[in-house]
Amino acid sequence: MSPRRNRPKGAGSSGRSVEDDRSGRYGGWQSTESWRGEDWSVRHVAGASAQGKSYRCPGCDQLIPDGVPHVVAWPEHSGVDERRHWHKACWNAKDRRTTRMQRSRNAPRF
């Protein structure tokens, strides 16, 4: 007797499709926006999928606590190393911010 097959037939080698990665997998939806002459991939992350993790928003230099819905954005031409987690309000106000940001001495630079 052969072992039971747990994967549906026709689902690629990993069992996940590109559509799964684009939307429901992280609890939000993904789009493309233009900012500073570049195309950016923007993914809206639900608070439930951000449990146990905290990030620093590059817009306001404040922590995004775990469980808070936020936005993940990165330039389309770059890889996962360029992803940044933003507050939704900070991402929406990115064009109204000045280019010079005041940071505390021990704040990490992104």
Side-chain angles (χ1 to χ4, degrees), residues 24-35:
R25 183 173 172 206
Y26 295 101
W29 52 274
Q30 184 171 334
S31 63
T32 303
E33 295 183 23
S34 182
W35 181 45

Side-chain angles (χ1 to χ4, degrees), residues 10-33:
S13 61
S14 68
R16 284 186 244 146
S17 66
V18 175
E19 290 80 22
D20 291 342
D21 191 38
R22 288 186 61 93
S23 60
R25 183 173 172 206
Y26 295 101
W29 52 274
Q30 184 171 334
S31 63
T32 303
E33 295 183 23

Side-chain angles (χ1 to χ4, degrees), residues 26-29 42-51 53-57 64-73 84-89 91:
Y26 295 101
W29 52 274
V42 180
R43 179 176 289 152
H44 296 263
V45 179
S49 60
Q51 288 290 79
K53 304 171 192 167
S54 62
Y55 304 99
R56 184 167 298 274
C57 175
I64 302 173
D66 64 334
V68 173
H70 60 278
V71 173
V72 180
R84 297 293 175 252
H85 296 254
W86 295 68
H87 292 106
K88 287 183 181 182
W91 176 255

Side-chain angles (χ1 to χ4, degrees), residues 9 37 60 75 81 86:
K9 291 182 182 178
C60 65
D81 294 337
W86 295 68

Side-chain angles (χ1 to χ4, degrees), residues 1-12:
M1 177 183 274
S2 61
R4 181 177 167 183
R5 185 180 201 143
N6 290 330
R7 270 180 249 130
K9 291 182 182 178

